Amino acid sequence: MSNLIILPMLIPLLGGILLVFIRRYVVLQRFISMGALVATTGICIHLLARIQEQGILRLDFGGWEPPFGILFVADSFAMLLATTASFVAAVCLLFAFSSVDRRLEQLYLYPFVLFLVAGVNGSFLTGDLFNLFVCFEVLLIASYVLLYIAGGKRQLVASIKYIALNIVSSWFFLIAIGFLYGSAGTLNLAHLSERIAETGQTPLFTAVSFIFLIVFSLKAGLLLYFWLPASYSAPPPAIAALFGALLTKVGVYALFRFFTLLFYHEPQVTHQLIGILAVLTMVGGSLGAIAYTDIRKVISYNVIIAIGFLLTGLAVFSETALQGAIYYLIHDMVAKALLFMIGGLMVITAGTARMDKMSGLIGNYPFLGVAFFITMLSLAGIPPFSGFLGKVLIGEGAIEGQSYLILAAAFLSSIMVLYSLLRVFLSCFWGETIIGRGEQLVLKNGWILPCLILLAATLGLGLGAETIAVHVKTAAEVLMNPQIYIDAVLSP
Amino acid sequence: METLMIVLSGVLVTAGTYLLLSKSILKMIIGTSVLSHAAHILIMALGGLKTGGEPLIGSPEDAYVDALPQALILTSIVIGFAVTAIFLVVAYKAYQATGLDRTDKLKGGES
């Protein structure tokens, strides 16, 4: 029992509610929202250390012992993701301070960012199926508002599609919960795992697992990603960075949790299907990433490639591959936020999103060029940046598991990431400068600072991987041995 | 009785899907509401319809009906209410911005 576990969800939630009442005081809003996210990150790091000492922590709400009540479970996997999510959200907020216009700041932008973080952290930490649904809805409703908040035609059209699609996927979620409750009679994830293990995952449970696969694939963009590029390229850069870093990752987290804790008895059916979907996702994402000239679209398709790559780790389903996937998940949150920020800055400074109309930006903005280049190296998995270790471990796991097709697809996709971003780099940064000295914008400190923090983070995660190695190891161990999770939750 | 409820749920899914696939955004919104109610009825039926007394401490029957599905449905109705409200606001905003309620004319959205 540890009451601290509720705080990663509670602090952003209460902070957001408080901000609603001080809508007109923008500076105060900034201080409170930043304070809330920094405090959340700090608490997450503290909890991470506690989990290492005391094992998996849990909090039974209202003293109802599992499996009867709702509870939060903090294992290393959930906590690592919650830490990264809170940290990245704080940096995105810092970016928003100087890149979003004042009208939006008074339109409840910050409260909804905090509600989004509350939903994301809640989804990571909850140990109850229906609570997971509720947390998903909290983060989705916040994301609906953030998507259309700028209020242009482009945002409105994108959000109508996004909302309609997510309502349908939430509906599937509800149906799947109904079936699972009807057949297993419980909603506690650990208890469900036990019950499913007792029956040896009958075909009924496998069928239900496919419904969950559809639901989370829609949320994560695993093959069902057709909605993603339009929605992620519409909002202002700070919000797009937040979406690109956090939203799909919650779906990926749910897939990892469900297919390691609940439905792990028939890997030749479920995990093989996930492998096929992952390969198709990487192919589709790569095609999209090299097909478009709108750099926001190129960046959005890069999100999709990363989702496919992450899911190969789950498809291989060995401890090494899962470790790699966890490293890569953390890396991808940081690097994608960075990529969206730099892409957004390129669009702001060049005044267009089409890369055939941009040229020679490095002459005007050397910082952007260098930052983009480093991000590209990091995403392609070149040491010493953070993407390297995840890719190596997933590759190692795939070789151990003799999944050579997946291995080939995963590493070809890395080359496609490099190619698509190199194309952006060559056409936007090299060549003749088209922006004259007179019309050149000055890069604000508030734009550069968040990029610098994330660049430092991606370098730090690459060089200092040993500091999180112990947590990643525990996380992968728990994922591979569901009994540890079950014991921690169901023990009195 | 359960079979009847599941058939009812299926009919609602049919109607909801039809409405969701229409070109008018308002009809789509009504469709999502109908769909969510189909899911609620399904959860109720899967949890078992009235099999015992009220789940109150001190009520005379020995067997209580499972109260959890009702709690789930109640939560889900509230969430559905919020989502429908937001969807209506976005649809109205889009109508104000474009004067259109038709999804086929709203496509693209490149500015």
Side-chain angles (χ1 to χ4, degrees):
Chain A
M1 284 291 265
S2 169
N3 284 325
L4 278 181
I5 304 175
I6 183 75
L7 288 181
M9 186 184 185
L10 194 67
I11 294 176
L13 197 63
L14 290 181
I17 292 171
L18 181 66
L19 289 187
V20 171
F21 294 104
I22 51 166
R23 161 183 175 200
R24 289 184 191 289
Y25 307 97
V26 172
V27 178
L28 192 60
Q29 279 205 50
R30 289 180 181 175
F31 271 111
I32 293 178
S33 53
M34 184 48 92
L37 287 183
V38 170
T40 311
T41 314
I43 287 167
C44 287
I45 292 173
H46 169 71
L47 281 172
L48 208 51
R50 283 252 310 252
I51 294 169
Q52 210 47 241
E53 287 166 17
Q54 303 172 4
I56 297 172
L57 303 170
R58 73 164 208 259
L59 174 63
D60 308 334
F61 294 126
W64 289 88
E65 283 198 4
F68 301 109
I70 292 173
L71 79 168
F72 267 19
V73 183
D75 69 338
S76 292
F77 182 43
M79 219 60 223
L80 273 173
L81 293 185
T83 312
T84 322
S86 311
F87 167 71
V88 171
V91 180
C92 288
L93 205 62
L94 190 63
F95 187 67
F97 290 163
S98 54
S99 70
V100 175
D101 47 311
R102 224 179 165 79
R103 185 180 64 88
L104 287 191
E105 290 190 280
Q106 293 195 344
L107 266 178
Y108 307 110
L109 175 77
Y110 298 133
F112 280 102
V113 170
L114 288 184
F115 291 145
L116 182 80
V117 176
V120 169
N121 282 346
S123 314
F124 288 149
L125 289 173
T126 187
D128 183 272
L129 184 56
F130 199 75
N131 202 226
L132 181 70
F133 171 75
V134 174
C135 289
F136 257 100
E137 289 302 310
V138 170
L139 83 91
L140 282 175
I141 291 177
S143 74
Y144 301 156
V145 177
L146 287 175
L147 185 55
Y148 84 76
I149 199 165
K153 187 184 168 202
R154 186 188 156 96
Q155 282 85 14
L156 285 167
V157 174
S159 52
I160 285 177
K161 291 180 200 160
Y162 179 72
I163 295 176
L165 186 113
N166 272 301
I167 288 177
V168 174
S169 83
S170 298
W171 179 78
F172 272 112
F173 200 170
L174 212 52
I175 295 281
I177 290 174
F179 278 122
L180 202 54
Y181 183 72
S183 44
T186 176
L187 288 169
N188 182 304
L189 289 178
H191 201 211
L192 271 173
S193 171
E194 223 177 40
R195 293 250 170 115
I196 293 172
E198 277 166 16
T199 64
Q201 196 175 338
T202 52
L204 177 68
F205 285 118
T206 309
V208 174
S209 81
F210 285 150
I211 308 182
F212 279 113
L213 185 62
I214 295 173
V215 174
F216 296 132
S217 297
L218 268 169
K219 313 261 185 206
L222 176 68
L223 193 61
L224 307 172
Y225 58 73
F226 42 83
W227 54 274
L228 195 146
S231 331
Y232 280 25
S233 56
I239 296 171
L242 198 62
F243 279 19
L246 301 188
L247 285 191
T248 49
K249 305 304 180 298
V250 183
V252 173
Y253 165 81
L255 279 171
F256 270 79
R257 187 58 92 202
F258 272 63
F259 287 91
T260 57
L261 181 64
L262 303 183
F263 308 111
Y264 58 92
H265 302 279
E266 300 273 352
Q268 70 278 21
V269 182
T270 48
H271 290 69
Q272 189 149 23
L273 182 67
I274 292 174
I276 296 168
L277 292 177
V279 170
L280 290 176
T281 310
M282 286 187 285
V283 172
S286 305
L287 288 179
I290 54 175
Y292 282 93
T293 50
D294 183 330
I295 58 170
R296 291 173 297 192
K297 285 267 166 68
V298 174
I299 293 173
S300 305
Y301 273 101
N302 266 291
V303 173
I304 296 166
I305 304 178
I307 298 297
F309 188 79
L310 280 167
L311 267 304
T312 56
L314 180 60
V316 171
F317 198 45
S318 72
E319 198 158 331
T320 325
L322 284 178
Q323 274 186 28
I326 296 167
Y327 273 119
Y328 202 78
L329 204 50
I330 297 169
H331 145 78
D332 200 57
M333 282 189 182
V334 174
K336 279 288 142 50
L338 187 57
L339 188 63
F340 272 96
M341 277 181 198
I342 296 170
L345 285 180
M346 284 162 68
V347 175
I348 292 174
T349 50
T352 171
R354 295 176 58 96
M355 61 193 206
D356 45 349
K357 290 198 182 143
M358 283 186 215
S359 174
L361 281 179
I362 198 148
N364 306 93
Y365 311 104
F367 171 76
L368 280 185
V370 174
F372 188 88
F373 191 72
I374 294 177
T375 315
M376 183 179 78
L377 293 184
S378 176
L379 281 168
I382 289 165
F385 301 104
S386 52
F388 172 66
L389 197 56
K391 294 209 174 185
V392 167
L393 285 172
I394 289 183
E396 213 178 292
I399 292 171
E400 279 170 17
Q402 303 191 326
S403 322
Y404 298 117
L405 184 66
I406 284 180
L407 181 75
F411 284 91
L412 275 178
S413 84
S414 301
I415 293 175
M416 296 312 274
V417 168
L418 188 63
Y419 173 69
S420 69
L421 293 178
L422 205 56
R423 206 170 61 109
V424 174
F425 186 75
L426 290 182
S427 110
C428 298
F429 286 102
W430 287 11
E432 211 165 302
T433 310
I434 47 166
I435 304 173
R437 287 277 160 218
E439 38 192 41
Q440 186 173 330
L441 294 171
V442 181
L443 286 184
K444 293 186 207 164
N445 285 336
W447 292 350
I448 296 178
L449 185 65
C451 296
L452 279 180
I453 295 175
L454 288 180
L455 283 172
T458 178
L459 189 63
L461 279 174
L463 289 178
E466 282 185 6
T467 48
I468 60 164
V470 53
H471 301 295
V472 173
K473 220 169 158 189
T474 334
E477 201 184 309
V478 173
L479 287 182
M480 277 314 277
N481 305 299
Q483 198 56 42
I484 303 176
Y485 187 95
I486 296 171
D487 288 343
V489 171
L490 294 183
S491 68
Chain B
M1 193 64 186
E2 268 87 354
T3 322
L4 206 60
M5 292 300 265
I6 285 175
V7 171
L8 172 63
S9 166
V11 171
L12 284 178
V13 172
T14 318
T17 312
Y18 177 75
L19 284 170
L20 193 64
L21 293 177
S22 73
K23 283 176 182 160
S24 153
I25 296 175
L26 270 181
K27 280 188 189 161
M28 275 170 66
I29 298 175
I30 296 171
T32 56
S33 305
V34 174
L35 272 184
S36 70
H37 287 305
H40 300 155
I41 289 177
L42 188 74
I43 293 179
M44 180 81 100
L46 284 169
L49 294 173
K50 197 163 167 58
T51 47
E54 304 80 31
L56 296 172
I57 293 174
S59 59
E61 282 97 336
D62 295 336
Y64 300 136
V65 75
D66 183 4
L68 202 59
Q70 275 102 333
L72 303 187
I73 292 166
L74 193 61
T75 317
S76 166
I77 288 174
V78 176
I79 292 171
F81 180 66
V83 172
T84 310
I86 285 206
F87 204 175
L88 279 169
V89 169
V90 174
Y92 181 61
K93 277 281 195 187
Y95 174 73
Q96 276 186 326
T98 62
L100 292 171
D101 172 45
R102 309 273 300 170
T103 44
D104 51 342
K105 302 232 171 70
L106 273 177
K107 71 181 164 196
E110 305 290 333
S111 54

